[in-house]
PDB file of all heavy atoms in Angstrom:
ATOM      1  N   HIS A 129      11.792  39.681   5.299  1.00 92.00           N
ATOM      2  CA  HIS A 129      12.376  40.922   4.784  1.00 92.00           C
ATOM      3  C   HIS A 129      11.380  41.623   3.872  1.00 92.00           C
ATOM      4  O   HIS A 129      10.744  40.985   3.036  1.00 92.00           O
ATOM      5  CB  HIS A 129      13.660  40.635   4.018  1.00 92.00           C
ATOM      6  CG  HIS A 129      14.344  41.871   3.539  1.00 92.00           C
ATOM      7  ND1 HIS A 129      15.100  42.655   4.369  1.00 92.00           N
ATOM      8  CD2 HIS A 129      14.378  42.468   2.328  1.00 92.00           C
ATOM      9  CE1 HIS A 129      15.566  43.691   3.688  1.00 92.00           C
ATOM     10  NE2 HIS A 129      15.132  43.586   2.445  1.00 92.00           N
ATOM     11  N   ARG A 130      11.265  42.911   4.017  1.00 93.00           N
ATOM     12  CA  ARG A 130      10.437  43.735   3.130  1.00 93.00           C
ATOM     13  C   ARG A 130      11.346  44.768   2.494  1.00 93.00           C
ATOM     14  O   ARG A 130      12.019  45.520   3.199  1.00 93.00           O
ATOM     15  CB  ARG A 130       9.339  44.450   3.916  1.00 93.00           C
ATOM     16  CG  ARG A 130       8.351  43.540   4.615  1.00 93.00           C
ATOM     17  CD  ARG A 130       7.364  42.932   3.715  1.00 93.00           C
ATOM     18  NE  ARG A 130       6.342  43.905   3.378  1.00 93.00           N
ATOM     19  CZ  ARG A 130       5.309  43.643   2.631  1.00 93.00           C
ATOM     20  NH1 ARG A 130       5.143  42.457   2.141  1.00 93.00           N
ATOM     21  NH2 ARG A 130       4.431  44.564   2.363  1.00 93.00           N
ATOM     22  N   TYR A 131      11.377  44.781   1.176  1.00 88.00           N
ATOM     23  CA  TYR A 131      12.139  45.810   0.466  1.00 88.00           C
ATOM     24  C   TYR A 131      11.414  47.138   0.631  1.00 88.00           C
ATOM     25  O   TYR A 131      10.187  47.210   0.526  1.00 88.00           O
ATOM     26  CB  TYR A 131      12.255  45.465  -1.014  1.00 88.00           C
ATOM     27  CG  TYR A 131      13.148  44.277  -1.284  1.00 88.00           C
ATOM     28  CD1 TYR A 131      12.611  43.025  -1.509  1.00 88.00           C
ATOM     29  CD2 TYR A 131      14.525  44.416  -1.327  1.00 88.00           C
ATOM     30  CE1 TYR A 131      13.420  41.933  -1.771  1.00 88.00           C
ATOM     31  CE2 TYR A 131      15.343  43.333  -1.588  1.00 88.00           C
ATOM     32  CZ  TYR A 131      14.792  42.102  -1.813  1.00 88.00           C
ATOM     33  OH  TYR A 131      15.596  41.031  -2.066  1.00 88.00           O
ATOM     34  N   GLU A 132      12.172  48.185   0.865  1.00 87.00           N
ATOM     35  CA  GLU A 132      11.563  49.493   1.088  1.00 87.00           C
ATOM     36  C   GLU A 132      10.864  50.006  -0.175  1.00 87.00           C
ATOM     37  O   GLU A 132       9.779  50.557  -0.121  1.00 87.00           O
ATOM     38  CB  GLU A 132      12.646  50.482   1.522  1.00 87.00           C
ATOM     39  CG  GLU A 132      12.114  51.630   2.318  1.00 87.00           C
ATOM     40  CD  GLU A 132      13.230  52.437   2.943  1.00 87.00           C
ATOM     41  OE1 GLU A 132      14.130  51.829   3.530  1.00 87.00           O
ATOM     42  OE2 GLU A 132      13.178  53.666   2.815  1.00 87.00           O
ATOM     43  N   PHE A 133      11.507  49.804  -1.313  1.00 81.00           N
ATOM     44  CA  PHE A 133      10.948  50.250  -2.592  1.00 81.00           C
ATOM     45  C   PHE A 133      10.562  49.011  -3.384  1.00 81.00           C
ATOM     46  O   PHE A 133      11.396  48.384  -4.001  1.00 81.00           O
ATOM     47  CB  PHE A 133      11.962  51.088  -3.365  1.00 81.00           C
ATOM     48  CG  PHE A 133      12.485  52.245  -2.582  1.00 81.00           C
ATOM     49  CD1 PHE A 133      13.769  52.229  -2.053  1.00 81.00           C
ATOM     50  CD2 PHE A 133      11.685  53.351  -2.350  1.00 81.00           C
ATOM     51  CE1 PHE A 133      14.245  53.297  -1.321  1.00 81.00           C
ATOM     52  CE2 PHE A 133      12.148  54.428  -1.618  1.00 81.00           C
ATOM     53  CZ  PHE A 133      13.433  54.399  -1.096  1.00 81.00           C
ATOM     54  N   ASN A 134       9.286  48.663  -3.330  1.00 80.00           N
ATOM     55  CA  ASN A 134       8.815  47.457  -3.994  1.00 80.00           C
ATOM     56  C   ASN A 134       7.410  47.706  -4.531  1.00 80.00           C
ATOM     57  O   ASN A 134       6.550  48.199  -3.801  1.00 80.00           O
ATOM     58  CB  ASN A 134       8.818  46.287  -3.012  1.00 80.00           C
ATOM     59  CG  ASN A 134       8.882  44.949  -3.707  1.00 80.00           C
ATOM     60  OD1 ASN A 134       8.701  44.858  -4.908  1.00 80.00           O
ATOM     61  ND2 ASN A 134       9.149  43.921  -2.943  1.00 80.00           N
ATOM     62  N   LEU A 135       7.191  47.354  -5.782  1.00 76.00           N
ATOM     63  CA  LEU A 135       5.891  47.584  -6.408  1.00 76.00           C
ATOM     64  C   LEU A 135       4.828  46.564  -6.001  1.00 76.00           C
ATOM     65  O   LEU A 135       3.651  46.825  -6.079  1.00 76.00           O
ATOM     66  CB  LEU A 135       6.024  47.617  -7.926  1.00 76.00           C
ATOM     67  CG  LEU A 135       6.885  48.749  -8.479  1.00 76.00           C
ATOM     68  CD1 LEU A 135       7.014  48.620  -9.994  1.00 76.00           C
ATOM     69  CD2 LEU A 135       6.300  50.081  -8.115  1.00 76.00           C
ATOM     70  N   ARG A 136       5.266  45.388  -5.599  1.00 76.00           N
ATOM     71  CA  ARG A 136       4.371  44.301  -5.180  1.00 76.00           C
ATOM     72  C   ARG A 136       3.256  44.037  -6.210  1.00 76.00           C
ATOM     73  O   ARG A 136       2.075  44.133  -5.893  1.00 76.00           O
ATOM     74  CB  ARG A 136       3.824  44.563  -3.783  1.00 76.00           C
ATOM     75  CG  ARG A 136       4.892  44.493  -2.729  1.00 76.00           C
ATOM     76  CD  ARG A 136       4.424  44.735  -1.323  1.00 76.00           C
ATOM     77  NE  ARG A 136       5.534  44.676  -0.383  1.00 76.00           N
ATOM     78  CZ  ARG A 136       6.394  45.666  -0.185  1.00 76.00           C
ATOM     79  NH1 ARG A 136       6.288  46.793  -0.836  1.00 76.00           N
ATOM     80  NH2 ARG A 136       7.383  45.522   0.670  1.00 76.00           N
TER      81      ARG A 136
END
Side-chain angles (χ1 to χ4, degrees):
H129 183 78
R130 298 284 283 182
Y131 290 100
E132 205 169 313
F133 305 106
N134 203 348
L135 297 176
R136 293 180 181 79

